[in-house]
Each structure stands twice: as structure tokens, then as C-alpha cells.
């Protein structure tokens, strides 16, 4: 079956400005089927910039089963395991991430988020999904403005660190935990 392995390190000694590192970015109604047992590993190497596992925008869709996504960023740099946003142009349909069964999202760093959802009419779906966020001011799941998050059966959210929060839900949402 389909399987993706992606390893990204965000560093470029030839540049004077810091870089962020992103495993996969999608927009413009793109569809990606990552298959079963795909692995995405992203390591931010520069303080002040972040690391992102999946960044999904504008009506895009990601489908995966047993995905292992790990994002690590140095002190004072944010890390987001999964960021899903919708702009005004895509407000009618939004984006979707379907983690299927048994996916694992791990984010480590400062002020990090395991899953971050903001925008309109988008969805994050998964069964037996494990979300782990570790670091000072970390958040396991953050949901803003008109989102649907369905963590299904057997999912777990774990956070570790000073001022850590398991789940933040803001504004009008359909959060099913």
C-alpha cells in the first residue's frame, strides 16, 4: 500500500535569517492520501522559528491511517504537529484531516501545540488518535472558530510541562471528545 517517509530539518547556515521546517504544506483544494504507516519527522534547528508537521489550508484534505508524526523545535521556538486553517475564500467547505485509526502526533518545544485548528468549516477526525504535547506552555489540542474535531473512540491527549493545557476550545465549535 501507500506509505510516505519524510524527514525535514529546518536549518540553512548560508542564510542569515532563521528558517522554519515543515513536513507537508497543502493548499488550493489539494488531496493527499498518505496511506498506512507513513512517518513524518520534522526538527526545527533555529531558535525563534518553528517546526510544523502538517500545514493544511484552503479546502485541502489529508487521509492517513497509523500515521506517526513527530515535530521537535528548540527552546523559544514554537512547534505545531498539525495546523489546519481556512481563509475567507474557502469558508464554505474548509479543510479536512482524517487520521483514520491509530495515528500518533507528538510535538515537543516551547509553547507548542499538538493539533491547532482555526478558521471555518474544517474537520479533524480520528479514532484511537494519540496526541502528545511536551514543553513549557504546551497545548494538546487548540480549536478556534467553527471547527469540528471528532477524536472518536479510544483517543488520548497528553501534555507535559509548566503551564500546559490539554484542550482549549474557543468560540463556536463542534468538538466531540
Amino acid at each position: 500500500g501507500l506509505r510516505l517517509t519524510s524527514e525535514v530539518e529546518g536549518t540553512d547556515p548560508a542564510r542569515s535569517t532563521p528558517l522554519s521546517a515543515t513536513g507537508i504544506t497543502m493548499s488550493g483544494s489539494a488531496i493527499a492520501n498518505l496511506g498506512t504507516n507513513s512517518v513524518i519527522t520534522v526538527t526545527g534547528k533555529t531558535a525563534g522559528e518553528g517546526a510544523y508537521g502538517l500545514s493544511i489550508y484552503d479546502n485541502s484534505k489529508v487521509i492517513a491511517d497509523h500515521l506517526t508524526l513527530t515535530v521537535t523545535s528548540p527552546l523559544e521556538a514554537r512547534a505545531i504537529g498539525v495546523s489546519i486553517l481556512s481563509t475567507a475564500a474557502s469558508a464554505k467547505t474548509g479543510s479536512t484531516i482524517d487520521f483514520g485509526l491509530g495515528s500518533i502526533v507528538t510535538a515537543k518545544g516551547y509553547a507548542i501545540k499538538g493539533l491547532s485548528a482555526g478558521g471555518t468549516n474544517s474537520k479533524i477526525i480520528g479514532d484511537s488518535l494519540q496526541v502528545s504535547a511536551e514543553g513549557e506552555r504546551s497545548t494538546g489540542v487548540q480549536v478556534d472558530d467553527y471547527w469540528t474535531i471528532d477524536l472518536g473512540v479510544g483517543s488520548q491527549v497528553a501534555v507535559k510541562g509548566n503551564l500546559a493545557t490539554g484542550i482549549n476550545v474557543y468560540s463556536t465549535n463542534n468538538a466531540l471528545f
Side-chain angles (χ1 to χ4, degrees):
L2 299 172
R3 183 170 187 264
L4 167 74
T5 300
S6 174
E7 294 183 31
V8 178
E9 289 190 9
T11 184
D12 184 353
R15 290 180 50 151
S16 60
T17 57
L19 296 173
S20 63
T22 303
I24 296 175
T25 299
M26 292 176 48
S27 65
S29 301
I31 298 173
N33 184 343
L34 302 181
T36 301
N37 294 319
S38 290
V39 176
I40 299 172
T41 305
V42 179
T43 306
K45 295 286 190 176
T46 308
E49 285 298 314
Y52 308 88
L54 289 171
S55 292
I56 310 300
Y57 306 92
D58 300 333
N59 303 321
S60 294
K61 183 173 185 175
V62 173
I63 302 164
D65 233 4
H66 296 281
L67 171 68
T68 299
L69 186 143
T70 305
V71 178
T72 307
S73 201
L75 185 64
E76 300 301 321
R78 64 184 170 180
I80 299 177
V82 176
S83 175
I84 180 169
L85 298 169
S86 292
T87 63
S90 64
K92 291 184 179 178
T93 58
S95 296
T96 300
I97 298 178
D98 185 345
F99 284 108
L101 180 65
S103 291
I104 300 169
V105 175
T106 304
K108 296 180 182 181
Y110 175 81
I112 59 92
K113 296 175 179 70
L115 302 178
S116 178
T120 305
N121 294 326
S122 292
K123 299 175 187 172
I124 296 177
I125 303 164
D127 280 316
S128 298
L129 175 64
Q130 295 179 33
V131 179
S132 173
E134 184 177 334
E136 186 175 346
R137 299 182 186 273
S138 63
T139 302
V141 177
Q142 180 169 319
V143 187
D144 300 322
D145 297 331
Y146 304 101
W147 277 80
T148 298
I149 291 194
D150 183 349
L151 297 183
V153 177
S155 294
Q156 298 178 355
V157 176
V159 295
K160 181 180 178 182
N162 290 333
L163 303 172
T165 302
I167 299 171
N168 276 340
V169 179
Y170 299 99
S171 193
T172 304
N173 296 289
N174 296 309
L176 304 172
F177 300 107

